[in-house]
Amino acid sequence: MTTMTGTTGIRGQAQERARQTAAPLRRAEGSPAATSQRPPDQTQGAAPQRPPDQTQPPTTQRRRPELAAFLRGRRARVTPADVGMAPGLRRRTPGLRREEVAQLSGVGVTWYTWLEQGRPINASPQVLDAVARTLRLDRPEREHLYHLAEVPYAPDREAAAGAVAPEIQGIIDAVDPHPAVVYNARYDILATNPAYRDLFLIEQPPTSGVANVLWSLFTVPARDCPLVFRDAELPVMVATLRSAYGRHVGEPEWEGFIHALSAASPYFAQLWKSGDVLPPGPRVKTFRHKAIGELRMSSVSLSINGMPESRIVVYTPDDDESRRHTAELRERRLRRGRLSRGEGRENPAP
């Protein structure tokens, strides 16, 4: 009996000490100080995130305050009436309140507060799109938001590759007989003039489903490529493509294009793996035209307001012989046009 009682007493003391040790832990877990250190969820009911990384690179540390100021400024300019809400009484905020932005965007209030405070939390493209819609951001502002939040920006495909403004088309038409084209960062062909179509005359059309000069140049036989120094020019174009790719890593349109062209052209796949990077810039290229021979052309890139990452490229003759060939190509086009309209034909004898 004595032994059993002593054992029971020791066990009870151990259990009591365990309860005393656990009680402060339970209180700390439920205290505001403890819960405030947890990163908020993007949406109500979402799984908790891991604590934010306190070792942020300098670029991130600089962008977070810019992101905070940008969101506060855009929130202040949107009124409740703009989003169909009653203004309410005693409103001291010039625009929407933080909780109103969170509610309209379908995200947690704490999460949006932390985002606007520039804290190091992660944001998905879907959530940023929702916030952008609530704050009525236009396309440049939406892209700016993505860059500040360090999320790859994927512009709407139809907007990115849509119709070029008539004024832009008029510019590239006006520089005839000089070839001109509008490229985006992926070398999709957005607009051309007849001289460009003469210069890049390729009998086999691209099969990628989109007009893209890289696809055309890499998938035709070398003998049909309009670039005389193909092995010197194509690496430069791939390096220029990669310089833009860094802003689009992970975007389905870009990843799909790179994968498809790598599968269609082992040469492109080889150049892509090299990792070389070059910005767009002036070049001198030699073209081969089946009807008139070779043309040495200087290319110049011009940026376009309102079309981020798109550019006009104009080709001008680099020597006297190329200037004569350029004029000859223009005369050939005009002659074809007159014949297609039925002009210039001899009238039959009465």
Side-chain angles (χ1 to χ4, degrees):
M1 292 295 292
T2 302
T3 303
M4 293 179 62
T5 302
T7 303
T8 304
I10 292 171
R11 184 182 299 115
Q13 293 174 4
Q15 292 174 348
E16 179 62 24
R17 284 197 298 271
R19 284 194 296 271
Q20 293 175 358
T21 302
L25 293 176
R26 288 195 295 271
R27 288 195 297 271
E29 291 174 354
S31 65
T35 56
S36 65
Q37 298 304 315
R38 298 175 182 171
D41 304 334
Q42 293 186 24
T43 57
Q44 300 294 347
Q49 300 179 354
R50 292 181 300 174
D53 184 7
Q54 300 300 324
T55 59
Q56 296 292 328
T59 302
T60 299
Q61 294 176 7
R62 184 67 185 91
R63 285 178 177 173
R64 291 295 173 173
E66 291 290 335
L67 174 63
F70 179 71
L71 288 173
R72 286 195 300 268
R74 294 308 176 269
R75 176 168 61 86
R77 73 180 187 181
V78 181
T79 66
D82 292 334
V83 294
M85 298 178 61
L89 301 176
R90 301 174 60 183
R91 175 176 289 273
R92 292 176 295 179
T93 304
L96 295 177
R97 299 187 178 101
R98 286 176 177 168
E99 56 268 26
E100 292 169 340
V101 174
Q103 178 185 356
L104 292 169
S105 303
V107 301
V109 175
T110 306
W111 183 89
Y112 178 77
T113 300
W114 280 33
L115 179 70
E116 192 175 291
Q117 290 174 346
R119 299 201 189 188
I121 58 176
N122 296 324
S124 67
Q126 293 79 11
V127 169
L128 289 181
D129 280 342
V131 172
R133 286 192 295 270
T134 299
L135 298 180
R136 299 191 164 196
L137 303 185
D138 58 24
R139 185 177 172 186
E141 290 172 331
R142 185 184 296 255
E143 182 177 2
H144 186 60
L145 171 64
Y146 267 71
H147 290 328
L148 292 179
E150 297 185 295
V151 174
Y153 177 67
D156 179 69
R157 175 64 182 169
E158 294 182 359
V164 171
E167 296 82 1
I168 303 301
Q169 183 67 57
I171 291 173
I172 63 175
D173 287 339
V175 299
D176 188 75
H178 299 146
V181 60
V182 178
Y183 291 134
N184 64 12
R186 200 170 51 240
Y187 280 100
D188 289 344
I189 301 172
L190 307 185
T192 64
N193 66 3
Y196 174 89
R197 295 191 288 274
D198 262 350
L199 196 64
F200 283 85
L201 180 62
I202 299 175
E203 294 180 355
Q204 297 182 8
T207 58
S208 64
V210 61
N212 181 279
V213 70
L214 283 178
W215 187 278
S216 299
L217 295 176
F218 274 101
T219 57
V220 298
R223 65 178 181 274
D224 295 327
C225 181
L227 295 172
V228 174
F229 304 109
R230 177 176 181 267
D231 291 339
E233 297 296 342
L234 292 186
V236 172
M237 297 180 73
V238 174
T240 304
L241 176 72
R242 183 173 278 281
S243 71
Y245 172 74
R247 298 186 294 272
H248 301 275
V249 174
E251 295 178 11
E253 289 282 351
W254 276 76
E255 299 296 345
F257 174 77
I258 298 300
H259 177 77
L261 188 51
S262 296
S265 170
Y267 185 36
F268 173 82
Q270 173 190 343
L271 294 175
W272 185 254
K273 289 179 181 178
S274 71
D276 293 339
V277 174
L278 283 174
R283 307 275 189 264
V284 177
K285 301 181 180 183
T286 304
F287 293 88
R288 179 190 301 109
H289 194 281
K290 292 184 177 181
I292 63 173
E294 295 185 0
L295 300 89
R296 283 176 50 84
M297 309 292 284
S298 298
S299 67
V300 177
S301 296
L302 309 171
S303 61
I304 307 173
N305 289 336
M307 296 184 66
E309 295 193 316
S310 294
R311 63 192 187 276
I312 297 175
V313 180
V314 180
Y315 297 86
T316 57
D318 193 56
D319 53 41
D320 291 339
E321 183 178 9
S322 298
R323 274 186 282 274
R324 289 194 298 271
H325 287 334
T326 299
E328 183 180 346
L329 282 175
R330 183 174 187 271
E331 182 56 37
R332 290 168 61 91
R333 289 193 302 273
L334 294 175
R335 190 182 307 124
R336 288 197 303 267
R338 289 193 295 267
L339 292 176
S340 66
R341 294 191 299 270
E343 303 173 6
R345 298 177 181 174
E346 293 183 2
N347 295 326

